């Protein structure tokens, strides 16, 4: 029932993702949300974000930011990062996920999306056929509409974690046979 909102992976932070392994697996494009995925809401790119994007470019990834924010916010964050971006993206609409892939020259098989929200970021990626990694929000301070969505996300994440546990039980059973 909730599986349309389930990410392909759920990790503690963008900064713990093994991007080298993703590259080895054939992924070439990374699409990122900004607020609470890379930095706290409304903040400019910090040193950690700058180092991450230098590393990603060094690995060989094409990167694109996709945000529901207006251009001044996205442009301000991108000043030190210098990657492509799409602003006012209307996530979870598929249109701008596709636009990001077009900009990067990637497709659904070679692109991964990284974001902190199930109902915009992950759902949009799933609807677009892109692998998704959900990260825990960096900072608890959020706009009221996001705070309300977080309560619903907790319900979905409960079922997501339960489905992972069930899969592990099934895998264990099949390994015994």
């Amino acid at each position: 029932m909730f599986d349309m909102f389930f990410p392909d992976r759920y990790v503690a932070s963008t900064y713990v993702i093994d991007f080298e392994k993703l590259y080895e697996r054939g992924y070439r494009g990374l699409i990122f949300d900004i607020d609470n995925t890379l930095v706290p809401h409304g903040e400019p790119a910090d040193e950690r974000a700058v180092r991450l994007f230098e590393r990603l470019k060094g690995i060989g990834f094409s990167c694109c930011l996709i945000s529901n924010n207006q251009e001044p916010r996205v442009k301000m964050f991108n000043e030190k990062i210098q990657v492509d971006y799409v602003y006012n993206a209307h996530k979870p609409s598929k249109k701008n996920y596709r636009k990001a892939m077009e900009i990067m020259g990637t497709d659904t098989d070679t692109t991964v999306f990284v974001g902190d929200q199930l109902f915009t970021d992950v759902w949009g990626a799933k609807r677009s056929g892109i692998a998704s990694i959900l990260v825990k929000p960096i900072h608890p301070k959020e706009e009221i509409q996001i705070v309300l969505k977080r309560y619903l996300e907790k319900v979905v994440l409960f079922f997501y974690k339960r489905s992972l546990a069930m899969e592990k039980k099934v895998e264990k059973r099949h390994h015994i046979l």
Side-chain angles (χ1 to χ4, degrees):
M1 178 171 141
F2 292 117
D3 59 342
M4 69 177 131
F5 300 112
F6 290 176
D8 294 297
R9 286 193 49 220
Y10 182 35
V11 298
S13 165
T14 300
Y15 299 98
V16 301
I17 296 170
D18 188 343
F19 290 104
E20 288 80 3
K21 188 176 276 185
L22 289 176
Y23 195 85
E24 285 173 20
R25 290 184 179 164
Y27 292 102
R28 296 297 181 261
L30 299 170
I31 304 173
F32 290 93
D33 174 54
I34 300 171
D35 288 325
N36 263 338
T37 298
L38 294 165
V39 293
H41 189 82
E43 295 289 319
D46 56 17
E47 265 312 302
R48 185 167 69 159
V50 171
R51 282 194 311 272
L52 174 66
F53 281 92
E54 286 171 355
R55 179 176 144 221
L56 296 174
K57 291 173 189 178
I59 294 169
F61 279 110
S62 294
C63 300
C64 189
L65 307 171
I66 181 172
S67 175
N68 284 348
N69 283 300
Q70 298 303 308
E71 188 173 25
R73 163 66 184 125
V74 180
K75 193 174 185 177
M76 180 263 286
F77 174 83
N78 194 44
E79 282 174 8
K80 294 179 187 172
I81 302 293
Q82 293 300 303
V83 296
D84 292 307
Y85 62 83
V86 178
Y87 62 92
N88 196 20
H90 299 285
K91 294 180 286 182
S93 170
K94 297 182 280 188
K95 178 184 172 191
N96 287 308
Y97 289 84
R98 290 183 181 139
K99 182 177 180 180
M101 286 187 287
E102 189 178 308
I103 290 168
M104 295 187 300
T106 60
D107 59 30
T108 56
D109 294 329
T110 59
T111 305
V112 175
F113 182 88
V114 181
D116 70 300
Q117 292 188 54
L118 287 174
F119 302 124
T120 52
D121 298 331
V122 171
W123 192 31
K126 278 193 91 109
R127 293 178 69 221
S128 303
I130 302 170
S132 63
I133 300 174
L134 177 69
V135 298
K136 292 181 180 173
I138 289 176
H139 195 276
K141 179 185 164 241
E142 297 182 297
E143 296 171 348
I144 188 64
Q145 71 272 17
I146 295 172
V147 170
L148 297 173
K149 282 194 272 184
R150 294 288 184 207
Y151 288 108
L152 295 172
E153 285 185 351
K154 285 179 183 177
V155 173
V156 175
L157 286 172
F158 168 81
F159 287 102
Y160 169 72
K161 290 172 184 174
R162 194 169 86 176
S163 77
L164 289 179
M166 296 295 282
E167 285 176 24
K168 285 182 182 173
K169 282 182 183 176
V170 169
E171 286 174 10
K172 253 185 178 174
R173 208 173 319 132
H174 289 291
H175 288 297
I176 294 170
L177 299 176

